[in-house]
Amino acid sequence: STDLTSTVGYDSIIQHLNDGRKNCKEFEDFLKERAIIEEKYGKELINLSKKKPCGQTELNTLKRSLDVFKQQIDNVGQGHIQLAQNLREEAKKMEDFREKQKLHRKKIELIMEAIHKNRNLQYKKTMEMGGLVKLPCWAAVPLVLPLPYLSSLSHFWQLFLKLAQTKSALEDSDRSYQQNVTTLEKIREEWQKEHIKACEFFETQECERINYFRNALWLHVNQLSQDCVQNDEKYEEIRKSLEMCSIEKDMDFFVNLRKTGSLAPAPVTYENYYNTQRNAAPVRSPVPVPISRRGPLPTPTSAPGEPDYATVDGYSLI
């Protein structure tokens, strides 16, 4: 501003810096809230995987797949809890950065406040001194005008003495005024120099803040992406386990676990206890027939409108 005592531009810069600090605080609060959500979600997943039954009576390969499934869900929950801790650490870093900038900026602001105060006081003093110089000058005019009308020499010398005194006071006031103007100019130069230094410092701080804010946001997105990648790796373990799930093996496992023998009961033959003559001819007992292995297992099919069943040999996602 062209007004020496104005601080409009400086106040605008300080307001912008305070707004930037507020924006950092808002992002910091966002990270904290996200951390609470992630931690709560992770704990819920862990409780679900540990407390909720999920195929607990299954056998063999499918049972192993279900165990892997529950373990990986637990791992996903642990990952979300770890992500919550990472978010809290990033929020703390943002808080430390924000407070550090505030502390450094406060030192500059105190210097500028002192300079502004000193400048304004000197400006006010100088303007007041200028007014004192003008007053004797105007007071001296009537002393000169009435000279043609003086009636006595005594009166003339009285006026002359008063004029000399006024001139001396005027010279003193003028010297003092000149000194104040010189002092004010030195203060103005010092203020302008410090103002430029403060603006350069504030500019550096704002560049650092924008860069830090940008990197913090970038890191946050990377953390979320990394969490998704890690979760996908855990889910891939479940898919690999399901690929190892064999319907044929599970069926054989169950048969071997629960089998009661390899021969079927012999056919029941008729014996005539009423007429022994008719029972004279021996009746040959049939040879026990071993149970033949059943044919190939049926391929699971899907009803119209339902998703395809993911088979073991030709594995595919639904």
Side-chain angles (χ1 to χ4, degrees):
S1 175
T2 56
D3 183 5
L4 182 60
T5 60
S6 175
T7 59
V8 175
Y10 177 81
D11 294 339
S12 178
I13 294 176
I14 296 300
Q15 181 62 44
H16 179 73
L17 296 176
N18 289 335
D19 290 341
R21 181 170 177 269
K22 179 182 177 183
N23 294 335
C24 290
K25 181 65 168 60
E26 290 175 352
F27 181 66
E28 173 190 329
D29 294 338
F30 179 89
L31 292 179
K32 292 179 179 179
E33 290 294 328
R34 180 65 187 266
I36 294 175
I37 295 173
E38 292 291 340
E39 184 176 41
K40 182 178 180 181
Y41 179 58
K43 289 181 178 179
E44 291 292 337
L45 282 180
I46 294 175
N47 291 334
L48 178 64
S49 65
K50 290 183 177 180
K51 297 180 180 180
K52 189 68 175 178
C54 185
Q56 57 184 351
T57 61
E58 288 292 345
L59 302 173
N60 205 31
T61 60
L62 183 56
K63 175 177 173 57
R64 288 196 291 270
S65 294
L66 288 172
D67 290 342
V68 172
F69 166 72
K70 295 190 71 174
Q71 180 59 49
Q72 294 304 327
I73 293 298
D74 183 276
N75 292 341
V76 170
Q78 296 289 352
H80 281 281
I81 292 178
Q82 181 59 47
L83 176 60
Q85 180 61 29
N86 293 341
L87 294 178
R88 289 192 179 94
E89 292 176 358
E90 292 305 316
K92 185 63 171 61
K93 291 179 181 179
M94 177 62 77
E95 180 182 5
D96 293 341
F97 172 80
R98 181 170 51 82
E99 292 300 323
K100 180 180 178 181
Q101 277 209 331
K102 176 184 176 182
L103 182 62
H104 290 174
R105 187 166 69 245
K106 190 64 177 178
K107 297 177 182 178
I108 303 298
E109 290 179 7
L110 291 175
I111 294 175
M112 292 302 298
E113 288 176 3
I115 289 178
H116 287 161
K117 184 178 180 180
N118 187 30
R119 179 199 63 186
N120 294 344
L121 289 175
Q122 184 62 36
Y123 179 81
K124 180 180 179 181
K125 182 179 179 181
T126 301
M127 293 301 100
E128 291 176 350
M129 184 58 65
L132 293 177
V133 172
K134 292 178 182 179
L135 183 60
C137 290
W138 286 107
V141 174
L143 300 180
V144 178
L145 292 178
L147 288 178
Y149 307 99
L150 295 179
S151 58
S152 66
L153 186 61
S154 175
H155 189 203
F156 170 76
W157 286 112
Q158 290 178 359
L159 292 177
F160 183 80
L161 179 60
K162 186 175 183 180
L163 177 62
Q165 293 174 347
T166 303
K167 182 179 179 182
S168 176
L170 178 61
E171 291 175 350
D172 292 340
S173 297
D174 185 64
R175 283 194 298 270
S176 179
Y177 175 61
Q178 290 180 10
Q179 291 175 357
N180 278 276
V181 170
T182 303
T183 303
L184 177 61
E185 178 58 21
K186 291 181 179 179
I187 293 176
R188 188 196 65 80
E189 292 177 354
E190 180 184 4
W191 159 76
Q192 186 170 339
K193 180 180 177 182
E194 291 297 328
H195 183 81
I196 293 174
K197 289 172 59 178
C199 288
E200 292 174 347
F201 175 81
F202 293 151
E203 181 180 1
T204 301
Q205 268 209 334
E206 182 65 3
C207 291
E208 291 177 352
R209 186 192 69 83
I210 294 176
N211 182 65
Y212 190 89
F213 202 155
R214 171 183 175 275
N215 291 343
L217 190 57
W218 194 302
L219 176 61
H220 175 61
V221 175
N222 284 349
Q223 288 175 333
L224 298 180
S225 297
Q226 182 64 26
D227 183 62
C228 292
V229 171
Q230 292 175 351
N231 286 345
D232 188 67
E233 291 176 353
K234 298 177 179 70
Y235 299 142
E236 181 64 21
E237 291 298 321
I238 300 173
R239 289 191 285 266
K240 290 180 180 179
S241 176
L242 290 174
E243 287 180 349
M244 301 302 295
C245 177
S246 170
I247 300 175
E248 184 74 22
K249 290 181 180 180
D250 285 2
M251 297 298 289
D252 288 341
F253 181 83
F254 173 75
V255 170
N256 292 329
L257 180 66
R258 304 299 184 190
K259 67 181 179 180
T260 58
S262 59
L263 298 176
V268 179
T269 59
Y270 171 75
E271 294 186 20
N272 188 353
Y273 295 100
Y274 174 72
N275 189 348
T276 58
Q277 295 297 325
R278 295 181 180 180
N279 199 29
V283 179
R284 184 176 59 181
S285 299
V287 178
V289 180
I291 301 175
S292 63
R293 183 67 174 128
R294 63 188 178 281
L297 294 173
T299 302
T301 58
S302 303
E306 294 183 354
D308 293 335
Y309 183 85
T311 62
V312 176
D313 297 331
Y315 173 71
S316 64
L317 289 176
I318 295 176

